[in-house]
Amino acid sequence: MTSAPANLLAVRNLLLTYLNVDKNAVRDQDLEPAEVGIVGDANHRGGYHCGSDRVVVNDYSVVESTRDRSGLTLYASALDVGTFSVRSGGATHTLRTFSTWMAAQCAANAADTRDIREIIYSPDGRTVRRWDRLGKRTSGDSSHLFHTHFSFFRDSTKAGRDQTPLFRRYLTAIGLIAPVKPEDDMEQTDKLVGNTGYPNRTVGDVLADVENLRNWLISPVNTTGLVSPPMANSPLQQMLAMARAWPALVAQVNELSGKDFTDEQQIVSGVLAGLPPEKIAEAIPPQIARDVADELSRRLTA
């Protein structure tokens, strides 16, 4: 049994959300639910409003395109849109302006129109025109003076491809949907923004250097296999040389710390050599002075 696919129901719901302005009343100005159809009535046979159970022999909606032949299912693949009139952005928008805009987008082969096979519409309420992607027909019957017909290639409804972008773009263009605020443009480049004195260096180069430095700092001294050692005479190379010399320095300090470097005799001689005789005499206690004098007298008379 022919049924409406979810992707066309989504288009229908989108249009009714924004073009059925007063949802609590039926008004000529609004696009009412009864004016947006997908599945043909029970007596409808042949064409995109019918699924595989209602197509006819040599049905144009099947035989004229491989996209339709391969996509034939029980889904209807068409959408009718009735009359409406809304004010937005300082202008009045109607079925006529809507249809003309849609046909122009299809004629320009906009990316979001490529699943549309045809649009049958009236630009002025007096003549009927048809935009046909396959170039088969240019007009339609007089019922399209009062509604616009969209046919979608059947493979698009079979696949369930989203058909709302084109219609959302129209509603955005007339101001009923607020445009999405574009994100700030960001330059997609790996070049460094700041001047480091090396104009050809990239972010990747810097990250590699940081990783290299990390490896040197967390690895034991003299670890082999690390790439890009520090340059000769660089601060890091000097630090590395100090680290390598550290064990020998510690051993020397430990060895020296166990030695007695005090030479008392040399200290006394040095002190005495710098003093005049009277100062030396003043520093000698009286008894020791008498003992020294006696000893000197003895040696002189011996």
Side-chain angles (χ1 to χ4, degrees), residues 2-301:
T2 295
S3 61
N7 59 346
L8 296 190
L9 285 171
V11 175
R12 180 179 187 272
N13 291 337
L14 177 66
L15 293 175
L16 290 174
T17 296
Y18 291 95
L19 298 179
N20 184 15
V21 179
D22 186 349
K23 295 176 175 54
N24 297 318
V26 176
R27 306 189 311 159
D28 290 341
Q29 299 94 325
D30 287 1
L31 182 66
E32 303 296 342
E35 295 178 298
V36 188
I38 297 174
V39 177
D41 62 30
N43 296 321
H44 199 113
R45 291 292 182 273
Y48 285 94
H49 284 292
C50 297
S52 57
D53 61 330
R54 295 196 201 172
V55 296
V56 297
V57 176
N58 292 324
D59 195 316
Y60 92 103
S61 72
V62 178
V63 301
E64 291 183 351
S65 168
T66 56
R67 294 188 61 181
D68 290 325
R69 287 193 296 272
S70 64
L72 181 62
T73 65
L74 285 171
Y75 286 141
S77 198
L79 180 76
D80 283 345
V81 179
T83 58
F84 64 87
S85 177
V86 295
R87 289 284 300 175
S88 178
T92 299
H93 307 279
T94 67
L95 177 65
R96 314 299 176 207
T97 58
F98 162 75
S99 304
T100 302
W101 188 91
M102 287 288 178
Q105 296 300 307
C106 289
N109 197 32
D112 50 8
T113 69
R114 291 170 187 167
D115 284 333
I116 296 179
R117 155 70 197 271
E118 62 185 352
I119 302 177
I120 311 174
Y121 67 103
S122 175
D124 53 14
R126 297 185 299 274
T127 58
V128 175
R129 294 181 182 175
R130 183 189 307 232
W131 175 87
D132 185 350
R133 188 174 297 274
L134 301 182
K136 302 287 186 179
R137 299 165 187 82
T138 58
S139 187
D141 64 59
S142 61
S143 68
H144 298 94
L145 294 173
F146 310 105
H147 79 273
T148 294
H149 170 92
F150 294 85
S151 296
F152 298 83
F153 286 113
R154 292 183 183 273
D155 62 353
S156 68
T157 49
K158 181 180 181 179
R161 279 196 292 276
D162 185 9
Q163 300 301 331
T164 59
L166 172 64
F167 296 86
R168 184 176 298 277
R169 190 156 61 86
Y170 166 76
L171 296 170
T172 302
I174 66 173
L176 290 179
I177 294 179
V180 177
K181 184 178 179 180
E183 296 183 1
D184 293 337
D185 290 338
M186 296 180 65
E187 184 181 0
Q188 299 298 312
T189 177
D190 193 37
K191 293 293 184 182
L192 297 179
V193 176
N195 181 10
T196 64
Y198 297 92
N200 293 325
R201 286 180 61 75
T202 67
V203 174
D205 294 332
V206 174
L207 292 177
D209 286 346
V210 172
E211 179 69 10
N212 212 22
L213 177 61
R214 170 188 175 276
N215 290 341
W216 276 98
L217 293 177
I218 69 173
S219 302
V221 175
N222 296 325
T223 298
T224 59
L226 298 181
V227 297
S228 301
M231 297 177 63
N233 299 321
S234 66
L236 185 58
Q237 185 63 266
Q238 294 175 9
M239 293 171 59
L240 185 60
M242 293 170 59
R244 286 172 175 157
W246 177 256
L249 179 62
V250 170
Q252 292 175 1
V253 170
N254 289 336
E255 180 182 357
L256 294 174
S257 65
K259 293 183 177 182
D260 182 5
F261 293 94
T262 306
D263 188 341
E264 292 86 352
Q265 185 61 45
Q266 184 177 1
I267 293 173
V268 171
S269 298
V271 172
L272 293 176
L275 294 174
E278 60 272 18
K279 292 296 182 181
I280 296 174
E282 289 177 2
I284 299 174
Q287 183 58 48
I288 294 176
R290 285 192 291 269
D291 292 342
V292 170
D294 291 343
E295 177 63 22
L296 289 174
S297 178
R298 186 186 64 80
R299 291 184 181 185
L300 290 172
T301 59

